[in-house]
Amino acid sequence: MTIGYDAKSIVDDIAGIGNYARTLVNDIGRVVPAGTTLNLYAPDRGNGALRRLVTENSHMRFVYQGGYNGRLAQALWRMQGVVKDLVRDGVKLYHGLSGELPIGIREAGIRTVVTIHDLVFMRHPEYYGWLERKVMAWKFRKTCGEADRIIATSECTKRDVMLYGDVPADKIDVIYQSCGSYYKLPEGEKKMQEVHTDYMLPERYVVSVGTVEERKNVLLAVKALRLLPPEISLVVVGKPTPYAERVKRYVAAAGLNGRVLFLHDVPADDMPAIYQMAEACVYPSRYEGFGLPVIEAIQSGLPVVACTGSCLEEAGGNATLYVDPDDVYAMAHAIKLTLKGAPGRDERIAEGLQYISRFENNNVAQSVLGVYDEVTGGF
């Protein structure tokens, strides 16, 4: 059998969906039955460093579109033109890894699975322009109609797909994103010192990891900092967006320049040390499809403060503290409860580690293969 994948996120997305897609195809490549071919369809070669994270071999290969120049033409290929390539290559099953399926794939007789990570554009339309929102909503509804089965990365996402897509519950499988034990490995003292010096980290800090965009709501943590002891700083790690400038203006106006550190383009090798030298992690996002940084922080031995309103309670369990995404005072109080010396801190850390064991080295590949088997009637 030949299985096709939408590989745009594999070669273009450095985090989030890209990590999910690369991990999944690599894992599936190791466990698929003999004679199975995996074709990864991408509009171009993308980022070479990301592409090399996927191991091409005799049964897994990239397939790039040909004859389409420009972003619009490539987008149209992903939206519909790729179907001809799938038929040409004898693809029997196609998996949309980033929430989309090409138009006409059902009519072509190809069975389909799609992973939907979140529906931010529907839950929080205020973060999107009118036209962008309309296009995304149209694609979502078309995908729900094309898909034989839908994989949701959390129960929260499943509920949203049912609500906004009018999809029956029995068409959706919840398969959590896999999480290895990488962040559990203690960093050596030398590496800790190097990272501390290279980034000029504060002596005592709370860390927040994720794209610095409005939905992630890091301004809530910055505002809460004013209510915390002056020796506590905030280290924000993530890709900047225009929202980051708004946060930085607030930092300057509030006189917090010496207490808030922004780090961009941090290599993955440095992240464990940054987590492990922190006292706690804050993840004030208004909406997430899974919330991987919560799990990474708990693995690093940190207590976590997150926000209500999406799937973060699924990621962090009862050991994580949750506050309203607009409540500055509740955020400050919760952070105080996570600082060194706070009553119950060690117990929350231990309980968190026990809870997230359900995600660690989770055999997502076998679960996804089970969905494939159901859709195709067996390999």
Side-chain angles (χ1 to χ4, degrees):
M1 180 185 293
T2 300
I3 303 174
Y5 293 89
D6 175 8
K8 183 179 186 300
S9 60
I10 290 177
V11 300
D12 281 348
D13 192 347
I14 195 170
I17 296 175
N19 284 335
Y20 167 85
R22 287 184 291 271
T23 300
L24 182 61
V25 297
N26 277 326
D27 289 348
I28 286 178
R30 286 188 281 267
V31 298
V32 287
T36 304
T37 300
L38 308 181
N39 284 354
L40 313 180
Y41 291 86
D44 55 38
R45 298 178 67 84
N47 183 313
L50 297 179
R51 189 177 64 250
R52 287 189 292 273
L53 293 175
V54 172
T55 306
E56 289 191 82
N57 50 45
S58 59
H59 66 272
M60 183 156 65
R61 66 188 182 105
F62 282 99
V63 180
Y64 305 105
Q65 63 85 20
Y68 294 87
N69 296 315
R71 295 179 62 183
L72 177 58
Q74 291 183 350
L76 290 174
W77 176 78
R78 284 186 70 230
M79 187 182 298
Q80 189 168 24
V82 68
V83 174
K84 292 182 180 179
D85 294 345
L86 301 178
V87 172
R88 175 199 67 201
D89 297 339
V91 170
K92 300 301 181 186
L93 172 70
Y94 183 80
H95 188 163
L97 296 170
S98 55
E100 297 182 30
L101 289 172
I103 298 168
I105 193 168
R106 176 180 286 272
E107 288 80 357
I110 299 171
R111 308 309 298 269
T112 56
V113 174
V114 64
T115 297
I116 296 180
H117 301 266
D118 60 61
L119 292 178
V120 182
F121 64 95
M122 287 189 158
R123 284 283 295 271
H124 290 282
E126 66 272 18
Y127 300 142
Y128 298 84
W130 179 86
L131 181 59
E132 183 183 19
R133 191 169 67 246
K134 291 295 183 182
V135 170
M136 294 174 75
W138 177 80
K139 284 184 177 181
F140 165 66
R141 294 191 176 95
K142 289 291 291 184
T143 291
C144 289
E146 294 276 2
D148 288 302
R149 291 207 68 77
I150 295 170
I151 293 174
T153 57
S154 68
E155 291 288 348
C156 175
T157 298
K158 178 179 179 178
R159 291 192 296 270
D160 284 352
V161 172
M162 292 168 60
L163 174 64
Y164 294 110
D166 194 25
V167 177
D170 60 6
K171 187 178 178 177
I172 307 170
D173 298 283
V174 175
I175 302 178
Y176 288 111
Q177 186 170 336
S178 179
C179 178
S181 54
Y182 176 65
Y183 284 92
K184 272 189 172 181
L185 303 175
E187 282 290 3
E189 187 62 31
K190 181 181 178 182
K191 177 68 173 181
M192 293 279 220
Q193 289 294 337
E194 289 175 352
V195 170
H196 196 279
T197 301
D198 288 347
Y199 296 104
M200 294 184 287
L201 295 174
E203 289 305 312
R204 298 185 65 190
Y205 65 89
V206 174
V207 67
S208 181
V209 177
T211 302
V212 189
E213 60 181 325
E214 188 170 2
R215 171 173 61 92
K216 301 287 188 178
N217 196 32
V218 75
L219 185 56
L220 177 70
V222 173
K223 290 179 177 179
L225 194 63
R226 300 180 66 181
L227 304 173
L228 297 175
E231 65 271 20
I232 302 298
S233 297
L234 175 68
V235 174
V236 180
V237 185
K239 177 183 176 181
T241 70
Y243 171 77
E245 297 306 313
R246 174 181 159 194
V247 177
K248 290 175 182 178
R249 288 195 296 271
Y250 178 89
V251 168
L256 294 171
N257 278 323
R259 296 179 63 192
V260 182
L261 176 64
F262 292 89
L263 302 178
H264 310 308
D265 301 316
V266 176
D269 287 348
D270 292 343
M271 285 306 303
I274 292 174
Y275 271 125
Q276 291 172 29
M277 286 186 282
E279 289 196 25
C281 174
V282 59
Y283 198 62
S285 180
R286 294 181 180 276
Y287 181 89
E288 293 294 324
F290 184 64
L292 186 59
V294 171
I295 297 172
E296 293 172 348
I298 293 173
Q299 286 184 319
S300 301
L302 300 182
V304 177
V305 179
C307 284
T308 57
S310 63
C311 72
L312 296 180
E313 290 93 338
E314 291 182 64
N318 293 332
T320 293
L321 300 176
Y322 304 95
V323 302
D324 184 279
D326 293 304
D327 194 331
V328 175
Y329 293 97
M331 173 59 73
H333 178 67
I335 292 175
K336 287 179 182 177
L337 295 177
T338 65
L339 299 178
K340 289 181 179 178
R345 180 179 186 270
D346 293 342
E347 289 77 8
R348 278 193 291 274
I349 292 172
E351 184 181 347
L353 286 168
Q354 182 177 5
Y355 175 81
I356 64 165
S357 63
R358 68 192 63 196
F359 304 117
E360 292 172 351
N361 300 308
N362 187 17
N363 201 339
V364 172
Q366 288 292 356
S367 298
V368 172
L369 285 180
V371 176
Y372 293 174
D373 195 64
E374 182 177 354
V375 168
T376 62
F379 283 93

